């Protein structure tokens, strides 16, 4: 009767032998897999570069295949990518995969911001705070917008009241971007647009009052001013949090 140690040794030898035979057979099938099998399903896959590649020299990229180990493909890139780097497939060209270093597609959006991405010149989505991976060939970050409350100082301006008195008035508006796509595509410059909107509305409201009313009706002016600009702000993806009259004199 064989001892436990001897049984373990025999089992180990048989296992290693079987593994060697399987790997030898697998290597043969691997070459067949690499040639003429690219169908486009590889686009978007992430692998490891095992042979450096550049615009003038093809390299090799390896993909993990679960229990089947890994398989390699001929790859090329516009910029040099060293062996050991992670890369993503962006196109299939014949039997060759065009790849790009994965680090170029990594984007980390900080808290308090949202980024607009475009694909082939068209709006593709919004990146929220956190880690994101995009295709750097076809997709780019076009706008970075804060999601914090924005303080807009409205410069002091001369306003003529209903009884033809000239007073000076200025204000400050607190707004927040709530629809980032509307804020960047609905208006050229939403900050400047809101500042002009507040100035225009303030002149209109005070112009309908006489001097005494204008000097003593700050709360009324604030309420009417916020109501006057809220609808336009909503169309631009903005929410008016508050409007304050800083000075009337």
């Amino acid at each position: 009767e064989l001892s436990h140690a001897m049984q373990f040794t025999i089992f180990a030898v048989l296992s290693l032998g079987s593994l060697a035979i399987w790997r030898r057979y697998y290597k043969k099938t691997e070459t067949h897999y690499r040639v003429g099998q690219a169908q486009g399903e590889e686009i978007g896959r992430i692998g490891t570069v095992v042979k450096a590649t550049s615009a003038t020299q093809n390299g090799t990229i390896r993909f993990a295949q679960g229990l089947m180990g890994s398989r390699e493909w001929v790859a090329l890139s516009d910029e040099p990518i060293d062996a050991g780097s992670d890369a993503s497939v962006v196109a299939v060209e014949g039997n060759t995969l065009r790849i790009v270093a994965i680090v170029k597609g990594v984007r980390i959006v900080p808290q308090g911001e949202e980024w607009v991405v475009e694909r082939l010149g068209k709006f593709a989505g919004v990146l929220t705070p956190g880690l994101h991976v995009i295709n750097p060939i076809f997709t780019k970050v076009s706008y970075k917008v804060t999601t914090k409350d924005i303080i807009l100082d409205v410069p002091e301006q001369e306003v003529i009241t209903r009884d033809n008195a000239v007073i000076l008035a200025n204000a400050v508006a607190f707004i927040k971007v709530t629809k980032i796509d509307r804020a960047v595509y609905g208006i050229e410059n939403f900050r400047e647009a809101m500042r002009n909107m507040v100035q225009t509305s303030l002149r209109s409201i005070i112009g309908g009052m006489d001097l005494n009313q204008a000097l003593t009706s700050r709360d009324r002016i604030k309420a009417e001013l916020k109501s006057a600009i809220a609808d336009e702000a909503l169309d631009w993806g903005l929410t008016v949090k508050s409007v304050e009259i800083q000075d009337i004199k």
Side-chain angles (χ1 to χ4, degrees):
E1 184 178 352
L2 297 177
S3 64
H4 290 294
M6 184 61 70
Q7 291 179 16
F8 177 78
T9 302
I10 294 174
F11 174 77
V13 170
L14 292 175
S15 298
L16 290 174
S18 300
L19 179 61
I21 294 172
W22 178 82
R23 287 184 62 86
R24 185 175 179 180
Y25 171 76
Y26 169 71
K27 283 295 183 181
K28 292 180 180 179
T29 59
E30 176 184 12
T31 303
H32 175 71
Y33 177 83
R34 287 175 55 184
V35 178
Q37 297 294 318
Q39 300 296 327
E41 294 86 351
E42 297 80 11
I43 295 178
R45 293 189 63 185
I46 297 174
T48 301
V49 176
V50 293
K51 180 183 177 183
T53 178
S54 66
T56 58
Q57 179 181 358
N58 288 351
T60 306
I61 186 171
R62 177 179 295 163
F63 299 117
Q65 298 290 327
L67 296 177
M68 293 296 291
S70 60
R71 291 180 178 176
E72 299 176 359
W73 291 80
V74 177
L76 57 86
S77 60
D78 292 330
E79 297 181 2
I81 302 178
D82 296 330
S85 302
D86 290 333
S88 176
V89 179
V90 295
V92 176
E93 300 178 3
N95 296 325
T96 302
L97 303 181
R98 179 170 291 277
I99 62 175
V100 63
I102 193 66
V103 67
K104 295 181 179 293
V106 175
R107 296 291 186 271
I108 300 177
V109 182
Q111 190 69 36
E113 290 186 6
E114 288 185 353
W115 295 0
V116 174
V117 293
E118 294 178 341
R119 184 175 297 112
L120 300 177
K122 184 179 180 180
F123 173 72
V126 176
L127 302 183
T128 55
L131 178 66
H132 300 269
V133 178
I134 64 174
N135 186 325
I137 300 297
F138 304 108
T139 308
K140 69 174 183 176
V141 175
S142 300
Y143 301 95
K144 299 179 180 180
V145 180
T146 180
T147 55
K148 303 175 184 177
D149 288 351
I150 300 171
I151 303 173
L152 289 180
D153 283 317
V154 180
E156 188 176 70
Q157 59 180 331
E158 290 185 350
V159 182
I160 300 176
T161 62
R162 185 170 54 190
D163 52 356
N164 293 324
V166 178
I167 63 176
L168 298 176
N170 62 348
V172 59
F174 299 88
I175 64 174
K176 185 179 180 66
V177 178
T178 52
K179 297 288 185 180
I180 188 170
D181 54 332
R182 292 186 184 180
V184 298
Y185 295 115
I187 189 72
E188 182 69 25
N189 185 331
F190 70 83
R191 294 172 185 262
E192 190 63 27
M194 285 300 301
R195 189 176 285 112
N196 290 335
M197 181 67 66
V198 172
Q199 285 183 307
T200 303
S201 299
L202 185 59
R203 286 197 300 267
S204 177
I205 293 170
I206 294 179
M209 301 178 174
D210 58 34
L211 178 60
N212 289 332
Q213 286 180 315
L215 294 176
T216 59
S217 305
R218 287 198 177 202
D219 290 340
R220 174 186 168 186
I221 296 173
K222 284 166 49 179
E224 291 186 12
L225 183 56
K226 182 177 179 179
S227 176
I229 65 176
D231 289 341
E232 287 292 342
L234 201 60
D235 289 340
W236 298 334
L238 309 172
T239 298
V240 180
K241 304 292 287 292
S242 177
V243 180
E244 299 294 333
I245 305 301
Q246 288 185 305
D247 198 13
I248 299 179
K249 58 186 178 180

